[in-house]
Amino acid sequence: MKHFVIVALAGIVSGTLAVTQIAAPLLAQEVKQNATVYQQLDLFGDIFERIRAQYVEEVDEVELIEAAINGMLTSLDPHSAYLPPEDAEQMRVRTRGEFGGLGIEVTQEDGFIKVVSPIDGTPADEAGMAAGDFITHVDGDSVLGLTLDEAVKRMRGPVGSEIVITVVREGESEPFDVSIIRDTIKLTAVRSRSHGKTVILRITTFNDQTMPNLEVSLKEQLEKAGGINAINGIILDLRNNPGGLLSEAVRVSNAFLDKGEIVSTRGRDQNSGERFNATSGDLAEGRPIVVLINGGSASASEIVAGALQDHRRAIVVGTNSFGKGSVQTLIPLRSDGAMRITTARYFTPSGRSIQALGVSPDIFVEQPRNRSADSSAKEEESVPERSEDSLRGRLNNDSLTEDEIRQIEVDREQAKDSALLREEDYQLAYAVDILKGLSAITDKN
């Protein structure tokens, strides 16, 4: 018995020694790491004091510290930043759907400011700014070397004032200037219209008003059409939608899904992730849906497109989306400012991350550039259409009733409308045609 006790104790002692031998280097490493951090903080303090005492001009100490904080955050990724009190308030106001500015969503790439997308109906949109444009100068001053927030500040100003932005655009041989008059930006989150039997819902942003606007807009269009059974489907136009609130993206996705996961987020701590699931109820009552996206569709709009695509609830048409697959959290600070920091990545229901990749459309359709009418095109338009109906002495078609003939004439007029729409907006016309095809298949089945 004594022999067994001694062996057991010996095992415990040796185990303790082993743990001590392993833990000691780890503890020493942690102490060394902490010492290095404190040394760096002392270095920061030394530099701060030397700038205060020796810089050629007197410095604003608060601005100096804010710049240091912002530099620390912007070194992480393009979407993390420090927001001074004024900027933090503007960010909060913007989520409510109204703010002052030009009306463009921007990011930073290769040191320059890149336009994610202009917002519909804003001064930037009306001035012709486009997704993918690079802004190199603001009022003649280069933005190279500025942080994203510093460049954005340069573009802000009093409502009614003019700003000249120098733009580099793919396909243009030389940079060019765009003059924009600043204005108060009032976002209409959802615009709606109908084309034939198709309801088109244009979602421009995801703010507090998006879901209420969507419900009202869809209800209005359905009432005009004569009910849900009178339409052949819905187009969700998310082109040039720079995103917004995650919660609104979840609500919009949920509006057209009966069940299943919408999106999940995963942060540094794997246990802190969230999953958002759909609840029963489909505003479209199973009618076909086409989602339109392009390179200006980012963040929240990619969540919606990805969720509906993964659940086979919608056909996604257009070009690859922007590829912003990260979640930012706005953390209020004691100074009334705020810290915007990337806290998670999001994943579509199938488990894919679209970060830096974007959502790939099911049907890839580029928007043709506006074609100028040349002389040959004008000549073609001047030639009258020839058909059997235009021939003298033609035979009448007596195999159809008058109602059937009238229906054919209505269908032809709608086809002409689609042709006109193709000239105006090729991608949208393509989406309308897809819904017509889906509707025809559904009706046959």
Side-chain angles (χ1 to χ4, degrees):
M1 179 68 179
K2 289 180 181 178
H3 174 72
F4 286 111
V5 171
I6 290 169
V7 171
L9 288 174
I12 293 170
V13 172
S14 64
T16 304
L17 288 172
V19 170
T20 305
Q21 288 172 351
I22 294 170
L26 292 175
L27 185 61
Q29 185 179 355
E30 186 177 349
V31 170
K32 183 179 179 181
Q33 187 176 2
N34 287 339
T36 303
V37 170
Y38 287 120
Q39 286 174 358
Q40 292 297 104
L41 288 174
D42 286 341
L43 176 62
F44 174 80
D46 290 342
I47 293 173
F48 177 72
E49 288 300 329
R50 284 187 178 272
I51 292 172
R52 283 208 310 170
Q54 298 179 8
Y55 186 66
V56 65
E57 294 177 355
E58 190 174 345
V59 296
D60 186 313
E61 297 170 358
V62 173
E63 288 184 1
L64 202 60
I65 292 172
E66 285 183 350
I69 294 170
N70 193 46
M72 180 166 52
L73 286 164
T74 55
S75 70
L76 301 173
D77 65 75
H79 307 294
S80 296
Y82 169 71
L83 303 177
E86 181 183 348
D87 294 351
E89 177 58 26
Q90 284 192 6
M91 176 68 76
R92 286 186 281 267
V93 168
R94 179 167 185 165
T95 63
R96 296 195 292 268
E98 183 175 326
F99 61 97
L102 304 179
I104 48 174
E105 188 79 14
V106 293
T107 187
Q108 196 161 32
E109 186 175 304
D110 298 329
F112 292 107
I113 306 305
K114 183 178 182 180
V115 177
V116 176
S117 66
I119 300 168
D120 284 1
T122 62
D125 179 44
E126 292 170 359
M129 296 294 290
D133 284 350
F134 281 93
I135 297 172
T136 61
H137 294 73
V138 174
D139 286 332
D141 296 328
S142 174
V143 299
L144 188 63
L146 299 181
T147 66
L148 182 61
D149 281 340
E150 287 170 341
V152 169
K153 281 183 180 179
R154 295 276 182 96
M155 290 186 276
R156 290 190 182 127
V159 170
S161 62
E162 183 181 17
I163 181 174
V164 177
I165 293 175
T166 304
V167 173
V168 171
R169 178 176 294 170
E170 185 180 356
E172 298 288 342
S173 58
E174 297 290 336
F176 58 93
D177 290 340
V178 178
S179 176
I180 305 175
I181 304 297
R182 298 179 178 96
D183 199 357
T184 299
I185 311 301
K186 294 183 179 180
L187 296 181
T188 302
V190 181
R191 294 186 174 96
S192 67
R193 61 187 174 112
S194 292
H195 186 85
K197 294 183 178 181
T198 301
V199 172
I200 302 163
L201 299 173
R202 167 84 177 119
I203 304 177
T204 59
T205 188
F206 288 88
N207 60 28
D208 289 341
Q209 302 303 312
T210 301
M211 192 57 205
N213 285 177
L214 180 72
E215 290 175 323
V216 170
S217 298
L218 180 57
K219 184 179 179 182
E220 288 176 353
Q221 294 302 324
L222 291 180
E223 286 177 353
K224 288 179 183 177
I228 191 71
N229 293 325
I231 69 168
N232 62 13
I234 294 171
I235 293 173
L236 290 182
D237 189 350
L238 302 179
R239 290 174 300 173
N240 294 328
N241 182 322
L245 299 177
L246 171 64
S247 58
E248 288 301 299
V250 169
R251 292 179 70 191
V252 170
S253 302
N254 186 36
F256 301 105
L257 292 172
D258 267 323
K259 59 182 179 180
E261 183 179 299
I262 294 171
V263 67
S264 62
T265 63
R266 298 176 212 166
R268 183 173 175 180
D269 180 3
Q270 295 297 318
N271 296 322
S272 65
E274 288 185 280
R275 291 184 183 276
F276 300 89
N277 295 309
T279 56
S280 60
D282 176 4
L283 290 182
E285 296 184 20
R287 307 304 291 176
I289 297 174
V290 171
V291 175
L292 272 176
I293 60 170
N294 64 6
S297 307
S299 191
S301 40
E302 293 175 291
I303 289 174
V304 175
L308 297 182
Q309 184 182 53
D310 280 2
H311 282 288
R312 306 277 192 248
R313 182 62 188 92
I315 295 174
V316 178
V317 176
T319 56
N320 291 338
S321 64
F322 186 77
K324 182 180 176 293
S326 60
V327 180
Q328 283 68 48
T329 302
L330 197 65
I331 302 173
L333 301 174
R334 285 176 292 179
S335 63
D336 289 333
M339 176 173 66
R340 185 179 66 223
I341 187 169
T342 302
T343 53
R345 288 182 174 88
Y346 70 76
F347 297 81
T348 67
S350 64
R352 60 182 167 141
S353 168
I354 56 90
Q355 175 60 26
L357 295 174
V359 174
S360 299
D362 298 306
I363 301 174
F364 190 91
V365 183
E366 287 186 309
Q367 185 80 291
R369 295 186 177 180
N370 291 333
R371 293 168 292 180
S372 58
D374 56 21
S375 57
S376 60
K378 289 178 181 176
E379 286 175 8
E380 275 186 28
E381 289 173 1
S382 64
V383 176
E385 291 182 357
R386 292 183 61 83
S387 66
E388 176 73 8
D389 187 59
S390 64
L391 296 179
R392 183 181 299 173
R394 60 170 174 81
L395 296 175
N396 292 325
N397 189 329
D398 55 5
S399 64
L400 300 174
T401 66
E402 289 184 4
D403 288 342
E404 287 173 332
I405 292 171
R406 274 195 293 268
Q407 185 59 51
I408 288 173
E409 290 171 350
V410 169
D411 292 342
R412 283 180 177 174
E413 286 302 315
Q414 288 183 352
K416 287 180 181 178
D417 288 343
S418 293
L420 292 173
L421 184 62
R422 216 169 273 119
E423 292 296 320
E424 173 193 331
D425 190 334
Y426 186 83
Q427 289 176 324
L428 182 61
Y430 203 101
V432 169
D433 289 341
I434 287 171
L435 279 180
K436 284 181 181 177
L438 287 172
S439 176
I441 293 170
T442 305
D443 290 344
K444 285 179 183 178
N445 292 337

mmCIF file of all heavy atoms in Angstrom, residues 318-348:
data_model
loop_
_atom_site.group_PDB
_atom_site.id
_atom_site.type_symbol
_atom_site.label_atom_id
_atom_site.label_comp_id
_atom_site.label_asym_id
_atom_site.label_seq_id
_atom_site.Cartn_x
_atom_site.Cartn_y
_atom_site.Cartn_z
ATOM 1 N N GLY A 318 -26.122 40.598 -63.479
ATOM 2 C CA GLY A 318 -25.300 41.807 -63.516
ATOM 3 C C GLY A 318 -23.831 41.462 -63.564
ATOM 4 O O GLY A 318 -23.416 40.541 -64.268
ATOM 5 N N THR A 319 -23.029 42.197 -62.803
ATOM 6 C CA THR A 319 -21.585 41.970 -62.736
ATOM 7 C C THR A 319 -21.185 41.724 -61.289
ATOM 8 O O THR A 319 -21.987 41.922 -60.372
ATOM 9 C CB THR A 319 -20.819 43.175 -63.300
ATOM 10 O OG1 THR A 319 -21.210 44.365 -62.586
ATOM 11 C CG2 THR A 319 -21.116 43.372 -64.782
ATOM 12 N N ASN A 320 -19.942 41.287 -61.076
ATOM 13 C CA ASN A 320 -19.480 40.982 -59.719
ATOM 14 C C ASN A 320 -19.655 42.180 -58.798
ATOM 15 O O ASN A 320 -19.371 43.321 -59.178
ATOM 16 C CB ASN A 320 -18.004 40.580 -59.737
ATOM 17 C CG ASN A 320 -17.778 39.253 -60.410
ATOM 18 O OD1 ASN A 320 -18.691 38.438 -60.516
ATOM 19 N ND2 ASN A 320 -16.574 39.025 -60.890
ATOM 20 N N SER A 321 -20.091 41.913 -57.572
ATOM 21 C CA SER A 321 -20.287 42.983 -56.601
ATOM 22 C C SER A 321 -18.958 43.432 -56.013
ATOM 23 O O SER A 321 -17.899 42.881 -56.328
ATOM 24 C CB SER A 321 -21.245 42.524 -55.493
ATOM 25 O OG SER A 321 -20.669 41.447 -54.769
ATOM 26 N N PHE A 322 -19.006 44.404 -55.137
ATOM 27 C CA PHE A 322 -17.805 45.083 -54.646
ATOM 28 C C PHE A 322 -16.888 44.188 -53.816
ATOM 29 O O PHE A 322 -15.666 44.254 -53.910
ATOM 30 C CB PHE A 322 -18.232 46.308 -53.817
ATOM 31 C CG PHE A 322 -17.095 47.175 -53.383
ATOM 32 C CD1 PHE A 322 -16.491 48.040 -54.271
ATOM 33 C CD2 PHE A 322 -16.620 47.133 -52.075
ATOM 34 C CE1 PHE A 322 -15.428 48.846 -53.868
ATOM 35 C CE2 PHE A 322 -15.573 47.931 -51.666
ATOM 36 C CZ PHE A 322 -14.979 48.794 -52.569
ATOM 37 N N GLY A 323 -17.459 43.358 -52.966
ATOM 38 C CA GLY A 323 -16.647 42.429 -52.175
ATOM 39 C C GLY A 323 -16.285 42.908 -50.783
ATOM 40 O O GLY A 323 -15.222 42.582 -50.275
ATOM 41 N N LYS A 324 -17.174 43.658 -50.152
ATOM 42 C CA LYS A 324 -16.929 44.081 -48.767
ATOM 43 C C LYS A 324 -17.656 43.112 -47.833
ATOM 44 O O LYS A 324 -18.837 43.243 -47.575
ATOM 45 C CB LYS A 324 -17.419 45.502 -48.523
ATOM 46 C CG LYS A 324 -17.152 46.010 -47.114
ATOM 47 C CD LYS A 324 -17.656 47.435 -46.932
ATOM 48 C CE LYS A 324 -17.471 47.885 -45.499
ATOM 49 N NZ LYS A 324 -18.329 47.157 -44.550
ATOM 50 N N GLY A 325 -16.901 42.146 -47.335
ATOM 51 C CA GLY A 325 -17.507 41.105 -46.512
ATOM 52 C C GLY A 325 -17.174 41.229 -45.048
ATOM 53 O O GLY A 325 -17.047 40.223 -44.347
ATOM 54 N N SER A 326 -17.037 42.460 -44.562
ATOM 55 C CA SER A 326 -16.697 42.667 -43.152
ATOM 56 C C SER A 326 -17.740 43.530 -42.467
ATOM 57 O O SER A 326 -18.454 44.301 -43.107
ATOM 58 C CB SER A 326 -15.315 43.316 -43.016
ATOM 59 O OG SER A 326 -15.282 44.570 -43.669
ATOM 60 N N VAL A 327 -17.793 43.382 -41.142
ATOM 61 C CA VAL A 327 -18.772 44.112 -40.331
ATOM 62 C C VAL A 327 -18.034 45.126 -39.464
ATOM 63 O O VAL A 327 -17.052 44.784 -38.805
ATOM 64 C CB VAL A 327 -19.554 43.140 -39.421
ATOM 65 C CG1 VAL A 327 -20.568 43.905 -38.567
ATOM 66 C CG2 VAL A 327 -20.259 42.082 -40.258
ATOM 67 N N GLN A 328 -18.508 46.376 -39.499
ATOM 68 C CA GLN A 328 -17.918 47.415 -38.650
ATOM 69 C C GLN A 328 -18.856 47.752 -37.491
ATOM 70 O O GLN A 328 -20.072 47.792 -37.672
ATOM 71 C CB GLN A 328 -17.632 48.695 -39.449
ATOM 72 C CG GLN A 328 -16.392 48.630 -40.321
ATOM 73 C CD GLN A 328 -16.522 47.662 -41.473
ATOM 74 O OE1 GLN A 328 -17.524 47.676 -42.199
ATOM 75 N NE2 GLN A 328 -15.540 46.807 -41.648
ATOM 76 N N THR A 329 -18.264 47.975 -36.340
ATOM 77 C CA THR A 329 -19.022 48.376 -35.150
ATOM 78 C C THR A 329 -18.637 49.793 -34.783
ATOM 79 O O THR A 329 -17.446 50.137 -34.749
ATOM 80 C CB THR A 329 -18.728 47.435 -33.970
ATOM 81 O OG1 THR A 329 -19.062 46.102 -34.345
ATOM 82 C CG2 THR A 329 -19.549 47.828 -32.746
ATOM 83 N N LEU A 330 -19.626 50.626 -34.513
ATOM 84 C CA LEU A 330 -19.390 52.003 -34.096
ATOM 85 C C LEU A 330 -19.431 52.045 -32.571
ATOM 86 O O LEU A 330 -20.474 51.814 -31.962
ATOM 87 C CB LEU A 330 -20.457 52.926 -34.691
ATOM 88 C CG LEU A 330 -20.145 54.429 -34.700
ATOM 89 C CD1 LEU A 330 -18.957 54.723 -35.598
ATOM 90 C CD2 LEU A 330 -21.359 55.220 -35.144
ATOM 91 N N ILE A 331 -18.297 52.326 -31.957
ATOM 92 C CA ILE A 331 -18.177 52.307 -30.494
ATOM 93 C C ILE A 331 -18.056 53.738 -29.987
ATOM 94 O O ILE A 331 -17.076 54.436 -30.289
ATOM 95 C CB ILE A 331 -16.949 51.486 -30.057
ATOM 96 C CG1 ILE A 331 -17.059 50.052 -30.597
ATOM 97 C CG2 ILE A 331 -16.814 51.482 -28.538
ATOM 98 C CD1 ILE A 331 -15.816 49.221 -30.369
ATOM 99 N N PRO A 332 -19.040 54.235 -29.233
ATOM 100 C CA PRO A 332 -18.962 55.597 -28.687
ATOM 101 C C PRO A 332 -17.791 55.725 -27.712
ATOM 102 O O PRO A 332 -17.475 54.792 -26.968
ATOM 103 C CB PRO A 332 -20.306 55.763 -27.965
ATOM 104 C CG PRO A 332 -21.188 54.690 -28.497
ATOM 105 C CD PRO A 332 -20.278 53.563 -28.858
ATOM 106 N N LEU A 333 -17.150 56.887 -27.725
ATOM 107 C CA LEU A 333 -16.030 57.158 -26.825
ATOM 108 C C LEU A 333 -16.380 58.302 -25.883
ATOM 109 O O LEU A 333 -17.325 59.066 -26.124
ATOM 110 C CB LEU A 333 -14.777 57.492 -27.635
ATOM 111 C CG LEU A 333 -14.304 56.403 -28.618
ATOM 112 C CD1 LEU A 333 -13.145 56.914 -29.464
ATOM 113 C CD2 LEU A 333 -13.903 55.146 -27.864
ATOM 114 N N ARG A 334 -15.585 58.445 -24.823
ATOM 115 C CA ARG A 334 -15.888 59.456 -23.791
ATOM 116 C C ARG A 334 -15.843 60.881 -24.330
ATOM 117 O O ARG A 334 -16.483 61.771 -23.809
ATOM 118 C CB ARG A 334 -14.868 59.328 -22.645
ATOM 119 C CG ARG A 334 -15.111 58.119 -21.747
ATOM 120 C CD ARG A 334 -14.028 57.990 -20.702
ATOM 121 N NE ARG A 334 -12.748 57.651 -21.312
ATOM 122 C CZ ARG A 334 -11.616 57.498 -20.625
ATOM 123 N NH1 ARG A 334 -11.606 57.687 -19.324
ATOM 124 N NH2 ARG A 334 -10.494 57.182 -21.236
ATOM 125 N N SER A 335 -15.090 61.089 -25.400
ATOM 126 C CA SER A 335 -14.937 62.441 -25.943
ATOM 127 C C SER A 335 -16.115 62.860 -26.822
ATOM 128 O O SER A 335 -16.066 63.913 -27.450
ATOM 129 C CB SER A 335 -13.660 62.494 -26.783
ATOM 130 O OG SER A 335 -13.771 61.600 -27.884
ATOM 131 N N ASP A 336 -17.176 62.027 -26.890
ATOM 132 C CA ASP A 336 -18.315 62.205 -27.801
ATOM 133 C C ASP A 336 -17.956 61.816 -29.228
ATOM 134 O O ASP A 336 -18.792 61.912 -30.123
ATOM 135 C CB ASP A 336 -18.863 63.648 -27.791
ATOM 136 C CG ASP A 336 -19.588 63.960 -26.500
ATOM 137 O OD1 ASP A 336 -20.108 63.009 -25.874
ATOM 138 O OD2 ASP A 336 -19.613 65.136 -26.100
ATOM 139 N N GLY A 337 -16.702 61.408 -29.425
ATOM 140 C CA GLY A 337 -16.329 60.848 -30.714
ATOM 141 C C GLY A 337 -16.697 59.373 -30.736
ATOM 142 O O GLY A 337 -17.410 58.877 -29.858
ATOM 143 N N ALA A 338 -16.202 58.673 -31.724
ATOM 144 C CA ALA A 338 -16.504 57.250 -31.825
ATOM 145 C C ALA A 338 -15.371 56.542 -32.556
ATOM 146 O O ALA A 338 -14.578 57.160 -33.278
ATOM 147 C CB ALA A 338 -17.820 57.026 -32.559
ATOM 148 N N MET A 339 -15.304 55.254 -32.351
ATOM 149 C CA MET A 339 -14.323 54.415 -33.023
ATOM 150 C C MET A 339 -15.074 53.447 -33.923
ATOM 151 O O MET A 339 -15.923 52.692 -33.459
ATOM 152 C CB MET A 339 -13.507 53.650 -31.973
ATOM 153 C CG MET A 339 -12.507 52.677 -32.550
ATOM 154 S SD MET A 339 -11.431 51.955 -31.280
ATOM 155 C CE MET A 339 -12.621 51.004 -30.331
ATOM 156 N N ARG A 340 -14.768 53.507 -35.203
ATOM 157 C CA ARG A 340 -15.346 52.547 -36.140
ATOM 158 C C ARG A 340 -14.295 51.473 -36.392
ATOM 159 O O ARG A 340 -13.221 51.770 -36.915
ATOM 160 C CB ARG A 340 -15.716 53.237 -37.455
ATOM 161 C CG ARG A 340 -16.447 52.310 -38.452
ATOM 162 C CD ARG A 340 -16.806 53.051 -39.719
ATOM 163 N NE ARG A 340 -15.633 53.457 -40.459
ATOM 164 C CZ ARG A 340 -15.467 54.646 -41.034
ATOM 165 N NH1 ARG A 340 -16.406 55.570 -40.925
ATOM 166 N NH2 ARG A 340 -14.366 54.952 -41.694
ATOM 167 N N ILE A 341 -14.606 50.267 -35.978
ATOM 168 C CA ILE A 341 -13.613 49.201 -36.055
ATOM 169 C C ILE A 341 -14.235 47.929 -36.622
ATOM 170 O O ILE A 341 -15.394 47.606 -36.356
ATOM 171 C CB ILE A 341 -12.999 48.938 -34.654
ATOM 172 C CG1 ILE A 341 -11.835 47.936 -34.756
ATOM 173 C CG2 ILE A 341 -14.047 48.473 -33.662
ATOM 174 C CD1 ILE A 341 -11.023 47.835 -33.480
ATOM 175 N N THR A 342 -13.473 47.262 -37.454
ATOM 176 C CA THR A 342 -13.934 46.006 -38.046
ATOM 177 C C THR A 342 -13.916 44.922 -36.979
ATOM 178 O O THR A 342 -12.867 44.644 -36.392
ATOM 179 C CB THR A 342 -13.040 45.601 -39.237
ATOM 180 O OG1 THR A 342 -13.059 46.664 -40.200
ATOM 181 C CG2 THR A 342 -13.523 44.315 -39.879
ATOM 182 N N THR A 343 -15.060 44.319 -36.723
ATOM 183 C CA THR A 343 -15.178 43.353 -35.629
ATOM 184 C C THR A 343 -15.492 41.936 -36.099
ATOM 185 O O THR A 343 -15.384 40.994 -35.318
ATOM 186 C CB THR A 343 -16.278 43.798 -34.653
ATOM 187 O OG1 THR A 343 -17.491 44.044 -35.385
ATOM 188 C CG2 THR A 343 -15.874 45.064 -33.911
ATOM 189 N N ALA A 344 -15.895 41.775 -37.361
ATOM 190 C CA ALA A 344 -16.265 40.422 -37.816
ATOM 191 C C ALA A 344 -16.278 40.355 -39.334
ATOM 192 O O ALA A 344 -16.285 41.384 -40.023
ATOM 193 C CB ALA A 344 -17.635 40.040 -37.269
ATOM 194 N N ARG A 345 -16.250 39.135 -39.833
ATOM 195 C CA ARG A 345 -16.536 38.863 -41.235
ATOM 196 C C ARG A 345 -17.935 38.252 -41.313
ATOM 197 O O ARG A 345 -18.362 37.603 -40.374
ATOM 198 C CB ARG A 345 -15.531 37.875 -41.822
ATOM 199 C CG ARG A 345 -14.140 38.441 -42.051
ATOM 200 C CD ARG A 345 -13.247 37.383 -42.683
ATOM 201 N NE ARG A 345 -11.946 37.921 -43.053
ATOM 202 C CZ ARG A 345 -10.906 37.974 -42.240
ATOM 203 N NH1 ARG A 345 -11.014 37.511 -41.002
ATOM 204 N NH2 ARG A 345 -9.761 38.485 -42.649
ATOM 205 N N TYR A 346 -18.608 38.473 -42.420
ATOM 206 C CA TYR A 346 -19.905 37.819 -42.548
ATOM 207 C C TYR A 346 -19.840 36.731 -43.623
ATOM 208 O O TYR A 346 -19.017 36.783 -44.533
ATOM 209 C CB TYR A 346 -21.035 38.815 -42.794
ATOM 210 C CG TYR A 346 -21.056 39.492 -44.134
ATOM 211 C CD1 TYR A 346 -21.481 38.816 -45.273
ATOM 212 C CD2 TYR A 346 -20.715 40.837 -44.264
ATOM 213 C CE1 TYR A 346 -21.526 39.439 -46.506
ATOM 214 C CE2 TYR A 346 -20.752 41.460 -45.505
ATOM 215 C CZ TYR A 346 -21.156 40.750 -46.611
ATOM 216 O OH TYR A 346 -21.200 41.366 -47.831
ATOM 217 N N PHE A 347 -20.732 35.758 -43.486
ATOM 218 C CA PHE A 347 -20.752 34.608 -44.371
ATOM 219 C C PHE A 347 -22.178 34.384 -44.862
ATOM 220 O O PHE A 347 -23.136 34.509 -44.096
ATOM 221 C CB PHE A 347 -20.250 33.355 -43.643
ATOM 222 C CG PHE A 347 -18.808 33.460 -43.206
ATOM 223 C CD1 PHE A 347 -18.462 34.139 -42.049
ATOM 224 C CD2 PHE A 347 -17.797 32.896 -43.970
ATOM 225 C CE1 PHE A 347 -17.140 34.261 -41.656
ATOM 226 C CE2 PHE A 347 -16.474 33.001 -43.587
ATOM 227 C CZ PHE A 347 -16.141 33.687 -42.428
ATOM 228 N N THR A 348 -22.302 34.037 -46.131
ATOM 229 C CA THR A 348 -23.616 33.761 -46.702
ATOM 230 C C THR A 348 -24.109 32.409 -46.181
ATOM 231 O O THR A 348 -23.341 31.657 -45.577
ATOM 232 C CB THR A 348 -23.546 33.746 -48.241
ATOM 233 O OG1 THR A 348 -22.766 32.625 -48.655
ATOM 234 C CG2 THR A 348 -22.932 35.034 -48.775
#
